[in-house]
């Protein structure tokens, strides 16, 4: 009896710790405690937008960059290529924007598709939440899917159907869209997904909370943890990348009202039965357990699973982009499932 009571007490203690950490993460890392922001106002935003706009001119020079109205606010898109070709939306991760795709994936995908990079409605980009109030950001998985649906409508895509590429939190949005709007999504590519196939690891949440309290001082520490490279150093990154990331940290306006979560096999099976899917993940992923994610993906019928050795959550920086780019392009162009 004593052993049973001790085990129960330990379980309750662990559960309380996880709950507290989750609440702290919500307050600090995703900044859910704020309801109003001076969105795109003030010197910090001006610095960020100046850097962002310069990069857009370099990386999306001949694309149609515009704001699309949605029920949640104005969404910035960079639409590249022939709009009559099959459309592909590209969604970035938290604390980022559409620039992550501009210098490598967009040039390839636009050759065969209408490639559209999207700034999340409530993150450091050109998108603006309704009334500049983050309480108008999507508040549920259904609303994340509704937001994507509004973007597709705004693009006036003839088939009203798209494929979606998502990195990290963008993968979670892609999964929500495929589940709640199954007739909208043709194919989905999940790159280093936040949750979806496996829960967020508590070890990552702890580090995220600490990092969020002192982001300027702990950037290298936190991202070295997410990297598979033991020699990762922020100071070794290109000056233009350092300028962009420091500007994003300064505005600190990432607002994710919907926590990323892993889905049940039942929901995932329903998704894969309607949507052709691919998982790309690093063997040394730290946000989720890559073994659990891969096992789940294969169990629920994900069309293609690629596990990259010696790669972590920063997969797109750690692994040569050429094979990943070719893999995604081939998957999008394929007409039948492969395993």
């Amino acid at each position: 009896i004593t052993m049973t009571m001790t085990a129960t007490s330990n379980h309750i203690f662990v559960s309380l710790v996880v709950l507290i950490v989750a609440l702290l993460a919500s307050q600090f890392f995703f900044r859910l405690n704020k309801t109003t922001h001076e969105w795109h106002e003030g010197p910090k935003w001006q610095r960020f937008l100046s850097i962002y706009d310069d990069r857009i001119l370099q990386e999306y020079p001949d694309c149609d960059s515009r704001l699309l109205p949605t029920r949640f606010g104005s969404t910035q898109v960079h639409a590249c290529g022939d709009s009559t070709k099959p459309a592909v939306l590209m969604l970035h991760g938290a604390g980022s924007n559409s620039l992550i795709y501009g210098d490598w994936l967009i040039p390839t995908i636009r050759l065969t598709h209408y490639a559209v990079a999207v700034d999340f409605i409530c993150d450091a980009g050109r998108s603006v939440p309704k009334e500049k109030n983050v309480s108008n950001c999507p508040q549920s998985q259904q609303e994340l899917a509704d937001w994507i649906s509004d973007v597709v409508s705004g693009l006036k895509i003839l088939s009203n159907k798209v494929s979606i590429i998502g990195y990290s939190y963008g993968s979670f949005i892609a999964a929500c869209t495929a589940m709640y709007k199954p007739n909208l999504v043709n194919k989905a590519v999940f790159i280093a997904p936040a949750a979806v196939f496996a829960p967020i690891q508590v070890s990552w949440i702890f580090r995220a909370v600490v990092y969020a309290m002192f982001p300027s001082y702990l950037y290298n520490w936190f991202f070295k943890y997410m990297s598979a490279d033991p020699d990762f150093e922020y100071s070794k990154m290109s000056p233009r990348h350092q300028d962009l990331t420091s500007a994003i940290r300064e505005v600190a306006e990432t607002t994710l009202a919907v926590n990323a979560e892993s889905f049940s096999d039942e929901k995932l099976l329903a998704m894969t039965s309607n949507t052709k899917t691919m998982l790309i993940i690093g063997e040394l992923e730290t946000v989720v357990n890559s073994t659990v994610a891969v096992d789940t993906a294969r169990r629920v019928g994900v069309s293609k699973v690629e596990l990259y050795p010696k790669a972590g959550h920063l997969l797109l920086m750690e692994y040569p982009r050429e094979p990943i780019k070719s893999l995604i392009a081939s998957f999008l162009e394929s007409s039948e499932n492969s395993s």
Side-chain angles (χ1 to χ4, degrees):
I1 295 174
T2 301
M3 291 177 63
T4 302
M5 291 179 63
T6 301
T8 302
S9 298
N10 289 339
H11 179 73
I12 293 174
F13 175 75
V14 171
S15 298
L16 286 173
V17 169
V18 172
L19 177 61
I20 291 170
V21 170
L23 289 172
L24 286 171
S26 295
Q27 293 296 315
F28 289 105
F29 190 65
F30 299 132
R31 299 175 62 86
L32 299 183
N33 55 321
K34 297 181 69 176
T35 56
T36 58
H37 295 230
E38 296 178 353
W39 207 274
H40 288 185
E41 297 176 11
K44 291 181 179 179
W45 265 116
Q46 289 174 6
R47 174 175 178 257
F48 164 76
L49 292 173
S50 176
I51 293 171
Y52 176 95
D53 290 344
D54 286 345
R55 289 280 298 273
I56 290 299
L57 289 175
Q58 296 172 34
E59 298 180 18
Y60 296 94
D62 58 347
C63 297
D64 180 10
S65 298
R66 65 184 189 271
L67 286 168
L68 297 178
T70 73
R71 73 194 81 178
F72 305 100
S74 300
T75 298
Q76 179 69 50
V77 299
H78 307 288
C80 312
D82 186 347
S83 61
T84 65
K85 292 181 178 179
V88 179
L89 301 189
M90 302 184 187
L91 309 178
H92 58 83
S96 183
N97 53 58
S98 54
L99 283 168
I100 70 166
Y101 296 112
D103 64 347
W104 67 288
L105 191 57
I106 284 284
T108 294
I109 301 305
R110 67 178 296 174
L111 296 176
T112 54
H113 292 76
Y114 183 42
V116 184
V118 184
D119 283 347
F120 182 57
I121 189 68
C122 294
D123 211 335
R126 270 288 179 188
S127 294
V128 184
K130 185 178 179 182
E131 299 173 350
K132 297 186 177 182
N133 190 326
V134 297
S135 64
N136 292 319
C137 298
Q139 301 292 312
S140 66
Q141 295 175 11
Q142 174 70 64
E143 291 194 346
L144 287 173
D146 290 341
W147 170 63
I148 292 295
S149 179
D150 288 354
V151 170
V152 173
S153 296
L155 289 168
K156 302 187 186 307
I157 295 169
L158 297 178
S159 66
N160 201 38
K161 196 163 188 173
V162 298
S163 292
I164 304 179
I165 299 170
Y167 169 70
S168 193
Y169 190 79
S171 287
F172 176 69
I173 298 175
C176 291
T177 307
M179 290 178 185
Y180 287 90
K181 303 281 185 180
N183 295 326
L184 184 67
V185 183
N186 182 26
K187 299 175 183 177
V189 178
F190 307 110
I191 307 173
V196 182
F197 300 103
I200 304 292
Q201 300 200 99
V202 174
S203 58
W204 182 86
I205 296 176
F206 269 113
R207 286 171 173 81
V209 170
V210 175
Y211 164 69
M213 294 177 183
F214 311 101
S216 297
Y217 301 100
L218 298 178
Y219 185 89
N220 192 77
W221 168 80
F222 184 55
F223 282 85
K224 188 170 186 175
Y225 166 71
M226 290 202 291
S227 169
D229 181 4
D231 299 320
F232 174 90
E233 291 294 335
Y234 174 62
S235 60
K236 295 179 181 178
M237 303 178 80
S238 68
R240 73 171 192 161
H241 184 85
Q242 291 187 47
D243 287 344
L244 179 64
T245 55
S246 66
I248 289 174
R249 291 199 305 274
E250 285 179 0
V251 298
E253 297 296 357
T254 300
T255 303
L256 309 179
V258 188
N259 291 328
E261 66 176 60
S262 56
F263 297 100
S264 66
D265 280 12
E266 181 180 6
K267 288 185 176 181
L268 292 171
L269 284 165
M271 177 183 71
T272 58
S273 67
N274 288 294
T275 304
K276 185 178 179 182
T277 53
M278 178 166 69
L279 169 64
I280 300 173
I281 192 168
E283 185 179 31
L284 302 179
E285 173 68 72
T286 52
V287 176
V288 302
N289 185 307
S290 61
T291 301
V292 174
V294 167
D295 289 348
T296 300
R298 288 173 174 159
R299 187 174 62 247
V300 300
V302 168
S303 307
K304 191 171 186 62
V305 177
E306 288 290 328
L307 179 65
Y308 283 88
K310 299 180 181 180
H313 193 66
L314 305 185
L315 176 69
L316 300 183
M317 296 169 57
E318 297 169 332
Y319 206 87
R321 287 175 166 180
E322 188 61 40
I324 297 177
K325 180 172 63 177
S326 299
L327 179 70
I328 294 173
S330 176
F331 175 77
L332 292 175
E333 292 173 37
S334 65
S335 59
E336 58 183 349
N337 289 1
S338 59
S339 57

